[in-house]
Every structure is written in structure tokens, then in C-alpha cells.
Amino acid sequence: MKTLDQYNFAGKKALIRVDYNVPLDNNFQVTDDTRLQATIPTINKIRKDGGAVILMSHLGRPKSGPSEEFSLKHLIKYLDDTFKTQVKFADDCIGEEANKLAAALKPGDILLLENLRFYKEEEKGDVEFARKLSQLGDVYVNDAFGTAHRAHASTAVIAQFFPEKVCGYVMQAELDNAKKVLERADRLLHRYYGRGQNFR
Amino acid sequence: MTYTFVKAQGGQIGNSLVEADKLELAKQLIEKAKSKGVKLLLPVDSTVADAFKNDAKARNEKSSSIPDGWMGLDIGTQAREDFAKVVESSQTVLWNGPMGVFEMPNFAKGTIRVAEAVVKATENGGFSLIGGGDSAAAVNNLGFGDKVSYVSTGGGALLEYMEGKELPGVKALE
């Protein structure tokens, strides 16, 4: 598995699956930005390399297509302020406008796509939907650990369309820390067995 | 989750939250833990309330004898100390899920006590991983986010990884 540090994003458009499923209040203000904050290092690394960033995520559980309540446009201002740039927004995650916006991206630019789950194809893991998404970028980065246990279009199925797939910093840290718990638990068990044998 | 286990063992849980379709599973898990010599710690007592609201009437009861009309909304005074003692002396802690309805201050004491114990275990050189939206929120709200080893952004994904399952989102990157 390729890590972010092993890849140079210069001149590339990185399509990143992030987990921006964040809680919003009645005025659509973010009430807990932990998940947004977590992705900053990944995004900054790509921009620093001279790459452009395309962010895709789900938000909530929209039942039937696009709705104001679950629109990711509510995050634009937060991202503008965080990255001190004007973040572009595609109000449909696939299609002509998204393609055009993605094609026009310059190094350092950020494009946010509208909620992936406005399409039922996302959770169904639809291959054609994944292929359309994949056309937006040159390299795929997955930084959404929270949805890694789902084989959705943007979290797993899409990877087949990219020769180059990269593990983001959030995903990497999550896996490293989870591994640590398992290894430590293992070590404790081994110590138990060891003592048992000595007593025999 | 507690009251499903308590009821599975024949306890009286009053109006506490219970997953009726998981009673058999709870029974099996209790048996499995016993046969493998794993200590499965359930709260001996609970803070019970007469309504699901912060200013409800509340008192301490044994978890296995909660009267009708009352529901457990937090672990009790004895359970808090039992849990804290085990957690504080642990070298590895994986925490998923708060101890009670911590969003209501009157039923947050168990969660706070356990969070403090996790911090102490970490200070003692242990490794602590907090997973799941609710427990992560609890730890962050208490200002303990920097005092534990790692706060995960995943809930279900983390637990499935711990079960040894292959995560499709990770496999796709290989």
C-alpha cells in the first residue's frame, strides 16, 4: 500500500475520499469539526507538492436525491477559511459541470463535490457511477476510515479505475493505532501463556 | 447494552433500554466469556430515573432489581469505582460507547469517571484508543482529547477491523 509520503502529487489532480459526515446545527454551522480538521495534513501535503485537490464525501443519510439539508455546500465557507483559498464547488458530483470544474483546476486549487449519497448508486457500489467519478482525477486517495468497512462506489469500487492508489494520513494513522491495540493485546496473551509454561 | 445482558441473566430491568432480539446472543457471550476465562464486567448498580430527561427523579439501584417505571441511565456509584479500578490498571484500553446518557449532565458521572480512568491509564504508560462518535465526543467535550493515545474517527470501521475483518476501503488501496 502506497502512503502519502511515497507519492509526489506535482501536476496531478488527486481525487480524495474524505469523511465530512459532520454534525450541523439548524443554521448549517459545523458543531464538531474533528473530521474536517483531521484531513488538513493530507490536503496540505498534496497542495504543497503542486497538486490539485478534489474532495468527495457523503453527509448524513439523504433518502431521495438532492436536498438542502444534506448539501455539502454548507462546508464551503469552513473550507475557504481553513485553507485560505476560494474552494470551488460542483453541485452535482458527476456530470458535465463537475468534469469542467475538475479539468480547470490549477496546482493548489481545491474542488468540493456535492454529497455522493444524493445518488443511490454510491451505497450500492455501482461500477458505472464509480467510473464517472474516477474521470475527475488522476490519482485516488482514500482518507475516510469511518466508511472503510463499506464497499461503496467511492470507498472501494472506484479504486479499480486508478493505476495509482494512495493511503491518506488519516487512514494511515487509524490503521497504525488500531494495529497497536491488537499487537499489545497479543503480547499480553503471550505473556500469560509464557508464565503458564514455566509453571508446568 | 448493559440491560440486555442483565435481563438475559434473569434480572429485573424495569423500563430500561433492552434489545429483546439479542437476549440469546447476550447469553451466549456470557457463556463464551466464562469458558475462556475472560472477565466480563457488568455494572453491579445503576443510576435509575423515572423519565428520560435530565431533571427526572433519580436514585441508585442494583442493576438486576430495577422497579417498573424506572430506567437505568448511567452506571451506579459502585460500578463507577469498579470500572475505574480496572481501567486505571490496564496497559491497553479500547473504549467504544459512553457509560450512560452523558449528554444529560445528571447522567454523565459514569462516563466522566471512566474517561478520567482512561487518562490515568495513559499517564501510567498505557495505550488508549477511543472509537465511535459518542465516546469520541464525550472525551473531546471533557477536554481529554489530548490526554488519551488516539481518538479514532471511525466507529463501525474500527470495530470491524478489531474483529479481524478485511476492510474493503483498505483492501482497495493494495
Side-chain angles (χ1 to χ4, degrees):
Chain A
M1 186 157 40
K2 200 166 260 173
T3 66
L4 215 61
D5 287 331
Q6 290 167 340
Y7 195 86
N8 186 347
F9 289 87
K12 303 275 189 185
K13 287 176 183 129
L15 181 59
I16 318 179
R17 178 57 158 97
V18 288
D19 181 2
Y20 283 174
N21 183 26
V22 293
L24 302 174
D25 65 16
N26 292 335
N27 300 316
F28 300 116
Q29 297 295 309
V30 178
T31 56
D32 180 352
D33 65 354
T34 309
R35 286 172 170 171
L36 288 156
Q37 288 286 323
T39 62
I40 293 176
T42 294
I43 294 168
N44 280 343
K45 143 78 178 163
I46 293 166
R47 297 177 76 209
K48 215 176 126 204
D49 277 359
V53 170
I54 304 166
L55 300 168
M56 56 177 176
S57 177
H58 75 284
L59 174 64
R61 294 170 182 270
K63 288 212 173 68
S64 51
S67 71
E68 173 80 10
E69 187 187 354
F70 296 115
S71 174
L72 279 168
K73 73 179 179 197
H74 304 305
L75 302 188
I76 297 173
K77 187 169 180 322
Y78 182 98
L79 294 172
D80 279 352
D81 294 344
T82 302
F83 294 104
K84 314 234 174 334
T85 183
Q86 205 173 343
V87 170
K88 295 165 179 61
F89 182 70
D91 58 14
D92 188 344
C93 63
I94 52 171
E96 209 174 305
E97 197 211 335
N99 289 340
K100 231 184 264 174
L101 284 166
L105 290 176
K106 296 186 181 59
D109 283 353
I110 301 175
L111 167 64
L112 174 67
L113 305 180
E114 182 56 289
N115 196 342
L116 295 162
R117 289 197 188 166
F118 284 171
Y119 286 87
K120 60 184 187 322
E121 286 86 349
E122 162 65 0
E123 287 185 84
K124 282 187 176 157
D126 185 80
V127 177
E128 183 53 23
F129 177 68
R131 192 187 62 77
K132 283 179 187 160
L133 280 172
S134 74
Q135 291 174 335
L136 299 172
D138 310 311
V139 49
Y140 172 66
V141 179
N142 193 347
D143 216 13
F145 180 70
T147 48
H149 59 319
R150 304 282 182 233
H152 294 168
S154 70
T155 62
V157 179
I158 193 171
Q160 64 186 289
F161 298 107
F162 290 92
E164 298 181 296
K165 307 168 267 270
V166 181
C167 179
Y169 286 139
V170 176
M171 182 74 92
Q172 187 74 53
E174 292 279 359
L175 293 173
D176 287 349
N177 281 292
K179 253 176 230 158
K180 232 178 261 180
V181 169
L182 291 177
E183 279 162 12
R184 289 175 69 102
D186 251 1
R187 231 167 34 220
L188 287 178
L189 283 179
H190 287 154
R191 199 155 66 202
Y192 246 108
Y193 289 137
R195 193 169 64 186
Q197 278 157 2
N198 287 343
F199 280 125
R200 249 174 239 153
Chain B
M1 199 188 295
T2 286
Y3 303 106
T4 304
F5 282 89
V6 174
K7 194 178 162 97
Q9 289 172 298
Q12 301 292 319
I13 59 162
N15 293 27
S16 306
L17 209 61
V18 64
E19 288 175 271
D21 59 329
K22 298 280 181 352
L23 289 171
E24 200 44 48
L25 175 65
K27 241 182 252 178
Q28 287 167 13
L29 289 173
I30 292 166
E31 280 311 311
K32 193 170 177 186
K34 218 179 271 175
S35 73
K36 297 206 165 197
V38 174
K39 220 194 252 172
L40 175 64
L41 215 57
L42 294 170
V44 291
D45 59 353
S46 298
T47 304
V48 301
D50 65 351
F52 189 78
K53 53 182 183 186
N54 186 48
D55 56 358
K57 222 189 285 171
R59 64 181 200 228
N60 209 71
E61 284 285 357
K62 263 178 73 180
S63 297
S64 56
S65 51
I66 300 174
D68 282 342
W70 294 77
M71 61 188 93
L73 295 186
D74 195 5
I75 58 173
T77 49
Q78 181 62 47
R80 267 171 237 159
E81 294 318 307
D82 293 349
F83 283 17
K85 205 172 141 192
V86 172
V87 172
E88 271 169 21
S89 60
S90 293
Q91 292 179 38
T92 310
V93 179
L94 171 65
W95 183 12
N96 180 268
M99 297 301 114
V101 191
F102 77 100
E103 296 88 344
M104 301 178 187
N106 287 339
F107 305 106
K109 293 190 187 82
T111 303
I112 292 171
R113 187 74 186 89
V114 167
E116 286 168 350
V118 173
V119 169
K120 196 154 180 203
T122 316
E123 283 168 358
N124 291 340
F127 184 82
S128 55
L129 175 51
I130 320 299
D134 285 340
S135 21
V139 166
N140 284 330
N141 289 348
L142 291 168
F144 291 162
D146 297 333
K147 295 178 178 172
V148 297
S149 305
Y150 189 72
V151 181
S152 174
T153 56
L158 179 68
L159 294 183
E160 288 200 13
Y161 185 84
M162 289 295 163
E163 282 175 42
K165 284 186 189 158
E166 196 168 52
L167 305 182
V170 176
K171 185 165 187 275
L173 294 176
E174 281 160 6

